[in-house]
Amino acid sequence: MTAEPKSIEGASGAAAEPFAAYAAARVLVTGGLGFIGSNLARRLAALGAEVLVLDNRLPGSGANAANLAGAEGRIAVVEADVRCAKALRPHLEGRHYLFNLAAQTSHQGSMEEPLPDLDINCRAQLQLLELCRAVNPEIGIVFASTRQIYGRPDYLPVDEAHPVRPPDVNGIAKAAGEAFHLLYHRVYGMRCTALRLTNTYGPRMRIKDARQTFLGVWLRALLEGRSFEVWGGAQTRDLTYVEDAVDAFLHAALSPALCGRAANVGGDGPVSLSALAEMLIAANGGGSFVIRDFPEARRRIDIGDYCADDRLLRRATGWRPRTSLADGLARSLAFFREHLQDYV
Amino acid sequence: MTAEPKSIEGASGAAAEPFAAYAAARVLVTGGLGFIGSNLARRLAALGAEVLVLDNRLPGSGANAANLAGAEGRIAVVEADVRCAKALRPHLEGRHYLFNLAAQTSHQGSMEEPLPDLDINCRAQLQLLELCRAVNPEIGIVFASTRQIYGRPDYLPVDEAHPVRPPDVNGIAKAAGEAFHLLYHRVYGMRCTALRLTNTYGPRMRIKDARQTFLGVWLRALLEGRSFEVWGGAQTRDLTYVEDAVDAFLHAALSPALCGRAANVGGDGPVSLSALAEMLIAANGGGSFVIRDFPEARRRIDIGDYCADDRLLRRATGWRPRTSLADGLARSLAFFREHLQDYV
């Protein structure tokens, strides 16, 4: 596998045309120093958008100044907290699109500190919608929701009609945050869409610990020559490569059919955690892992197997994942091999 | 129809035995100056419980000092806001039961002032659960939830398996507040139950305006010799007489089968709004109403018809509504005829 192309944006040239609307568009990305937010901001800038990133560099989040390295001249950054209405308000006026990714993402963290999770993932979202309604009701909004809100699935793959039954504080808060977005479409006609993301991975993810994705700590251990732990191993997940998630956001904001809807985002088909571990080691050209029992505190909020039915998104927008799991893992390893010092 | 018995408590003598557990129990009722809360607090005091009411007398809520008239010596009242952790904490220690009824109840109000609704109905609930977990994890908690969280029903009667699809900010906030209660049972083993109430009516309801129930303004108009407005008229609702709702709370806190569950509370069968208006006029011995179109702002968050399937509660506890709609309306009129000056 080759290293990551110098310009990720270059890799998506084929898909640039459907995104012509972003050329010269004024776009706000909350959580834009984070993993998905920064990849999205970089793509938007490459598409010619005027991009403002708003991020509070929340400790424990994916925020990392290195995520915008090399793009500083093309992306403006405001350090502000999405919970602070006063800080947000001036940045909403005159914007065409709001990609709303600021979040607390750790499930276990949401159980340890539930109120900050609720304030960020739910209360701040309602406040943000109220602000948009007041100062810029025409803005197109895409909210980063999560498959976590389904809880332990009744059936696989999970479509959007599956009951919403969040297993932890984070899931409850995100479900409410999402519901507010859809409500503001229904009642006020605002252009809001939610994407229910599954495990997303790739360059610029948090690898310091497992607060964002378990894959981060696996990858870090490999690159540091240590073996990593797989909890359980038989559970299946589907994983979205971050550039495919970015495509989904770009499509969603432009799709009238998704207005007022929540749509799943999946990936390259389901894989068991132990098979994923083996693929990662193969992509790395070596390494090892050990299987551990699921820790009790995690078991109580675990969702078991998951696989997304994302046909709604595919049909509405033509989106499909363009990166195979093997390729995505190789690109992730190549990125972090080159930039390890910025992420540990 | 005779006037309300001097002591409501006397009317429920037959049901006192299943509630023997409350004799000498130390009980906290949040929102205990409100409509259902005050009726519950009075019953608990009559059952021999040591009752503390916590209420912040929120403007626009059902809080009314007159609601505890005649029971002042038997019920302690603390003026405190359920949103304030510091104020709550000392009152949770050593309590056996917490009836958690403090709420913002107006659907339209939740659209006009969404953040206070979220703070009371959702954030304060999570904070309260965290406090209980810290200082009194054995406490038995019953949360006043609402059928509003189902949104516009897919089928009637609505059972607890019906999708949760709240139609307004109030519904989203209450659904999250309920979910936190059930989560704290699932993860921490806390004894939490939620009751999904439908339109509840009876003595001590707010009749000043429609913030609590449309029936309040109807009844007030009748007693003041004015005709009242029925919006639409064909929609069906089921109504719970407040003493039956009180019974449901008392049963729920004592039912291990309902621990960690949300259970519907229904009433004396469905009735259309226009039939209800006619029953109210018959119970009053005269009066008139006019049918009006549903106002646009209300129509967008209206849930259409509703009727509860409350077999879960009935089977788990033996609860059943003991008051017919005709009797309940007559008792309500009698109460407010006698106490009108305290409620307008």
Side-chain angles (χ1 to χ4, degrees):
Chain A
M1 206 60 226
T2 59
E4 194 202 21
K6 282 295 172 221
S7 159
I8 289 187
E9 295 81 6
S12 50
E17 194 142 9
F19 302 140
Y22 294 110
R26 303 188 68 219
V27 180
L28 178 64
V29 182
T30 69
L33 288 182
F35 165 37
I36 304 174
S38 64
N39 282 287
L40 177 58
R42 298 174 76 100
R43 273 283 291 285
L44 282 162
L47 289 166
E50 182 193 321
V51 184
L52 176 65
V53 153
L54 188 141
D55 204 299
N56 71 336
R57 305 174 193 263
L58 188 73
S61 79
N64 189 333
N67 282 342
L68 295 186
E72 293 89 348
R74 296 175 294 153
I75 297 172
V77 179
V78 172
E79 189 162 335
D81 195 307
V82 74
R83 287 168 286 190
C84 177
K86 208 171 144 186
L88 278 173
R89 193 181 181 110
H91 305 299
L92 296 171
E93 289 168 14
R95 297 274 152 196
H96 300 105
Y97 301 101
L98 163 59
F99 293 99
N100 193 7
L101 285 86
Q104 197 292 114
T105 57
S106 166
H107 300 299
Q108 190 54 34
S110 81
M111 301 306 293
E112 289 154 11
E113 296 190 87
L115 287 166
D117 189 287
L118 182 69
D119 286 339
I120 294 166
N121 291 327
C122 171
R123 190 181 194 282
Q125 305 309 319
L126 179 58
Q127 184 174 256
L128 182 53
L129 289 162
E130 275 288 288
L131 282 172
C132 288
R133 186 162 83 90
V135 306
N136 189 357
E138 304 299 320
I139 196 168
I141 305 175
V142 186
F143 175 66
S145 185
T146 168
R147 59 104 174 93
Q148 189 75 0
I149 68 175
Y150 295 120
R152 190 173 279 270
D154 289 342
Y155 55 84
L156 294 173
V158 174
D159 61 11
E160 293 84 359
H162 188 284
V164 168
R165 214 165 35 210
D168 53 26
V169 169
N170 178 262
I172 295 169
K174 290 293 284 190
E178 178 193 288
F180 289 134
H181 282 80
L182 307 187
L183 176 70
Y184 273 56
H185 169 78
R186 212 161 54 240
V187 176
Y188 303 118
M190 285 171 60
R191 297 190 294 136
C192 303
T193 298
L195 293 180
R196 294 175 177 170
L197 305 174
T198 183
N199 291 68
T200 306
Y201 74 102
R204 305 181 182 87
M205 67 183 164
R206 183 178 173 96
I207 63 169
K208 213 177 265 195
D209 53 38
R211 286 186 70 88
Q212 196 165 72
T213 163
F214 61 88
L215 199 54
V217 284
W218 291 10
L219 188 144
R220 178 185 177 179
L222 270 191
L223 291 182
E224 294 181 341
R226 295 178 284 111
S227 71
F228 58 90
E229 290 184 0
V230 175
W231 294 349
Q235 316 96 289
T236 57
R237 287 282 183 277
D238 59 352
L239 289 96
T240 312
Y241 185 64
V242 65
E243 283 299 317
D244 290 327
V246 164
D247 279 356
F249 277 93
L250 295 175
H251 276 299
L254 301 178
S255 166
L258 291 182
C259 237
R261 306 285 294 268
N264 289 340
V265 183
D268 183 26
V271 61
S272 74
L273 293 195
S274 51
L276 178 65
E278 277 158 19
M279 287 179 78
L280 186 65
I281 285 170
N284 189 49
S288 66
F289 66 92
V290 290
I291 300 275
R292 290 253 186 276
D293 283 348
F294 232 72
E296 175 61 17
R298 301 296 292 241
R299 196 188 53 71
R300 282 181 293 183
I301 61 171
D302 183 56
I303 62 157
D305 297 336
Y306 182 79
C307 177
D309 177 338
D310 54 18
R311 285 177 295 175
L312 172 61
L313 176 66
R314 291 175 188 241
R315 287 172 184 166
T317 67
W319 175 89
R320 57 177 182 79
R322 292 182 294 115
T323 309
S324 70
L325 186 51
D327 281 359
L329 293 174
R331 288 193 207 174
S332 305
L333 283 160
F335 176 87
F336 284 107
R337 201 172 284 125
E338 189 175 351
H339 300 288
L340 194 61
Q341 72 286 355
D342 295 328
Y343 289 89
V344 294
Chain B
M1 205 62 225
T2 60
E4 193 202 21
K6 282 292 172 227
S7 159
I8 289 187
E9 295 81 6
S12 51
E17 193 139 9
F19 301 140
Y22 293 110
R26 302 189 68 219
V27 180
L28 179 64
V29 182
T30 69
L33 287 182
F35 165 37
I36 305 175
S38 64
N39 281 286
L40 176 58
R42 299 174 75 100
R43 272 284 289 285
L44 282 161
L47 289 165
E50 182 193 322
V51 185
L52 176 66
V53 153
L54 188 140
D55 204 298
N56 71 336
R57 303 172 194 264
L58 188 72
S61 78
N64 190 333
N67 282 344
L68 295 184
E72 293 89 348
R74 295 175 293 151
I75 297 173
V77 178
V78 172
E79 189 162 334
D81 195 307
V82 75
R83 287 169 287 190
C84 176
K86 207 170 145 189
L88 278 173
R89 192 181 180 109
H91 304 299
L92 296 171
E93 290 168 14
R95 295 275 151 195
H96 302 104
Y97 300 102
L98 164 59
F99 293 99
N100 193 7
L101 286 86
Q104 196 293 113
T105 57
S106 165
H107 300 298
Q108 190 54 34
S110 81
M111 301 305 293
E112 289 154 11
E113 296 189 88
L115 287 167
D117 189 285
L118 183 68
D119 286 340
I120 295 167
N121 291 328
C122 172
R123 190 181 195 282
Q125 305 310 318
L126 178 59
Q127 183 173 259
L128 182 53
L129 288 162
E130 275 289 286
L131 282 171
C132 287
R133 186 163 83 90
V135 306
N136 189 357
E138 304 299 320
I139 196 169
I141 304 175
V142 186
F143 175 66
S145 185
T146 166
R147 58 106 173 93
Q148 189 75 1
I149 69 175
Y150 295 121
R152 191 173 279 268
D154 289 340
Y155 55 84
L156 295 173
V158 174
D159 61 12
E160 293 85 359
H162 188 284
V164 168
R165 213 165 35 209
D168 53 24
V169 169
N170 178 262
I172 294 169
K174 290 293 284 190
E178 179 193 288
F180 289 134
H181 282 81
L182 307 188
L183 176 69
Y184 273 56
H185 169 78
R186 212 160 54 239
V187 176
Y188 304 118
M190 285 172 60
R191 297 191 294 134
C192 302
T193 298
L195 294 180
R196 294 176 177 169
L197 305 174
T198 184
N199 291 67
T200 306
Y201 74 102
R204 303 182 183 86
M205 68 183 163
R206 183 176 174 98
I207 63 169
K208 212 178 267 195
D209 53 38
R211 287 186 70 89
Q212 195 166 70
T213 163
F214 62 88
L215 200 54
V217 282
W218 291 9
L219 187 144
R220 178 184 177 182
L222 271 191
L223 292 181
E224 293 181 342
R226 294 178 284 112
S227 70
F228 59 89
E229 289 184 1
V230 175
W231 293 349
Q235 317 96 291
T236 58
R237 287 282 183 277
D238 60 350
L239 289 97
T240 312
Y241 185 65
V242 65
E243 283 299 317
D244 291 326
V246 164
D247 280 357
F249 276 93
L250 296 174
H251 276 298
L254 302 178
S255 165
L258 290 182
C259 238
R261 305 286 295 269
N264 288 340
V265 184
D268 182 25
V271 61
S272 73
L273 293 195
S274 52
L276 178 65
E278 277 159 19
M279 286 179 77
L280 186 66
I281 285 171
N284 189 50
S288 66
F289 66 94
V290 289
I291 301 276
R292 288 254 187 275
D293 283 346
F294 232 71
E296 176 60 18
R298 301 297 291 242
R299 195 189 52 72
R300 284 181 292 184
I301 60 171
D302 183 55
I303 62 159
D305 297 337
Y306 182 79
C307 178
D309 178 340
D310 55 17
R311 285 176 296 174
L312 172 61
L313 176 66
R314 291 175 189 241
R315 286 171 184 166
T317 67
W319 175 88
R320 56 177 184 80
R322 292 181 294 114
T323 309
S324 70
L325 186 52
D327 281 2
L329 293 174
R331 288 192 209 175
S332 305
L333 284 160
F335 176 87
F336 284 106
R337 202 171 283 124
E338 190 176 350
H339 300 287
L340 193 62
Q341 72 287 354
D342 295 327
Y343 289 89
V344 293

